[in-house]
Amino acid sequence: MGDPHGIGVVGLGVISRAYLDTLADHPAVRVVAVADLDAARAVAAAARIPGAEAVSVERLLHHPDVATVLNLTIPAAHEEISGAAITAGRNVYVEKPLTVTFPQGRSIIDRAASAGVHVGCAPDTVLGTGTQTARAAIDGGLIGRPLSASAVMVTPGHERWHPEPDFYYAPGGGPLMDMGPYYISALIHLLGPVRAVIGAASRLRDARVIGSGPRLGQRIPVEVPTHVTGVLEHVGGALTTLTTSFDGVATTAAPIEVHGEDGTLAVPDPNTFDGEVRHLALDGPGWRALAPRAGYVAAARGIGLIDLIRADQTCPPRASGELALHVLDIMTALLRSAAEGRRIELTTAVDRPMPVPFTPAEDWLSAPSSGH
């Protein structure tokens, strides 16, 4: 099978633990090096991973055994770190969003293409059995021709639980840029790419109060909209109504519902890998749960990077940089539409990613083979 694929991890904040739980023991990869602005945090992370070194970012980018850089920095640093990795001839897999602005994202994709390296991007949650089972049901004609969808995410804000929530309320943050990638990526898997958007947005508070950790009680500024809603016009003709909010308490709405001529699907939270998919037929007796029939079983963060490594000519990466750029185009266009009060056509186009066949955990946890 060859040697494991060498990974270098930059950024060891909260989300890194989930990635490292998946990657540290996977036979297809080896975590070679880790780096963080906080050197002590890098040393602590390396101590938990056999064979990993705690190094500087510069050393990691040029480490001879690092083939792919896993960029888990805050959004404002995504372009800098991803760009430096590409310049060093490394592949990149980056936490969402791809970058803070669309021009930055376009630059990353273009530079990677010129350098002959690959870019992948979270979220990979949509490759699990939740979203993929719903996609299989749609593709199989269970609800007839899909006409519309709704996607709803409402929380009171991440400052209640995150000890360092500042970046959620700085440029590149907010509910759309933070949580939108999960919902929009799922919608592209379910209904295909988007051609135009109409958006509206608001910001009801100028400051938030940190609710946990050593900065408990500290006020932080809010620089971005905290409630964003809009309509996505899919290339195939379906319309999605999207709502993302850090201003509400909760919602009883399904995270995603897809409505077709013959029925409706309730799709689980796209920020999770699994969950129950429910179906209601036009003349059926009531909602019924669908058994998982597609997707990576028991998947976890990092499966998108594994999928990227396994990609070949017959099966391109599903959590690709091109998909992430299209998602970024959608999100930034929604914010522009809200600011300018007009419908905006997108500048990117992307193929709907290939579906994920039903893949038991023991298969994706094994060393890669050709095709997937």
Side-chain angles (χ1 to χ4, degrees):
M1 290 296 191
D3 295 330
H5 190 93
I7 302 294
V9 183
V10 180
L12 298 165
V14 174
I15 195 64
S16 69
R17 299 168 197 165
Y19 279 93
L20 292 174
D21 284 347
T22 301
L23 300 175
D25 296 323
H26 198 288
V29 301
R30 180 168 72 92
V31 179
V32 173
V34 296
D36 193 274
L37 290 176
D38 183 341
R41 189 153 61 179
V43 170
R48 297 192 296 269
I49 308 168
E53 297 181 70
V55 298
S56 68
V57 173
E58 182 67 17
R59 166 63 178 158
L60 185 147
L61 294 177
H62 295 90
H63 195 295
D65 295 330
V66 170
T68 296
V69 172
L70 174 57
N71 181 359
L72 303 181
T73 58
I74 63 171
H78 284 184
E79 182 199 23
E80 177 185 359
I81 297 301
S82 295
I86 291 167
T87 298
R90 299 328 191 235
N91 305 310
V92 176
Y93 187 91
V94 60
E95 178 58 16
K96 52 77 192 168
L98 179 65
T99 55
V100 172
T101 70
F102 180 76
Q104 291 175 347
R106 177 79 273 172
S107 174
I108 289 296
I109 298 303
D110 290 346
R111 289 170 61 187
S114 296
V117 299
H118 302 292
V119 175
C121 185
D124 54 8
T125 48
V126 297
L127 306 183
T129 54
T131 298
Q132 292 298 316
T133 292
R135 172 175 178 165
I138 293 169
D139 292 351
L142 186 63
I143 62 170
R145 181 166 62 104
L147 305 173
S148 65
S150 61
V152 181
M153 190 290 300
V154 176
T155 78
H158 294 346
E159 75 278 4
R160 294 168 57 86
W161 58 270
H162 199 294
E164 301 285 343
D166 308 65
F167 68 92
Y168 289 117
Y169 299 99
L176 179 64
M177 296 291 284
D178 177 50
M179 298 300 291
Y182 298 104
Y183 291 79
I184 296 170
S185 296
L187 289 162
I188 293 169
H189 274 268
L190 297 170
L191 298 173
V194 174
R195 64 188 175 204
V197 302
I198 302 171
S202 64
R203 182 183 65 182
L204 300 182
R205 284 174 277 178
D206 292 330
R208 297 281 178 133
V209 178
I210 298 177
S212 65
R215 297 171 63 197
L216 176 68
Q218 182 176 330
R219 292 173 64 86
I220 57 174
V222 177
E223 304 176 60
V224 294
T226 49
H227 184 101
V228 184
T229 189
V231 175
L232 316 183
E233 300 177 18
H234 293 268
V235 172
L239 298 177
T240 290
T241 303
L242 172 70
T243 298
T244 62
S245 183
F246 283 167
D247 288 335
V249 174
T251 178
T252 60
I256 296 175
E257 287 186 343
V258 181
H259 307 287
E261 291 178 309
D262 301 325
T264 290
L265 286 177
V267 184
D269 185 350
N271 192 16
T272 61
F273 287 89
D274 49 20
E276 185 177 78
V277 179
R278 294 181 297 126
H279 170 240
L280 180 65
L282 178 61
D283 297 315
W287 291 95
R288 67 181 182 94
L290 302 182
R293 64 177 75 172
Y296 291 113
V297 177
R301 277 174 169 80
I303 186 62
L305 193 154
I306 301 299
D307 187 271
L308 175 69
I309 292 169
R310 294 181 184 224
D312 57 25
Q313 294 295 326
T314 64
C315 188
R318 297 178 176 92
S320 69
E322 289 76 15
L323 176 62
L325 182 65
H326 188 58
V327 171
L328 183 61
D329 194 10
I330 292 167
M331 294 190 298
T332 54
L334 278 167
L335 293 172
R336 279 180 53 213
S337 175
E340 299 173 11
R342 64 185 182 92
R343 176 180 178 273
I344 292 181
E345 295 188 359
L346 301 184
T347 60
T348 58
V350 68
D351 292 333
R352 191 181 181 209
M354 291 186 68
V356 181
F358 189 78
T359 307
E362 57 267 25
D363 288 348
W364 70 262
L365 286 168
S366 65
S369 58
S370 59
H372 59 304

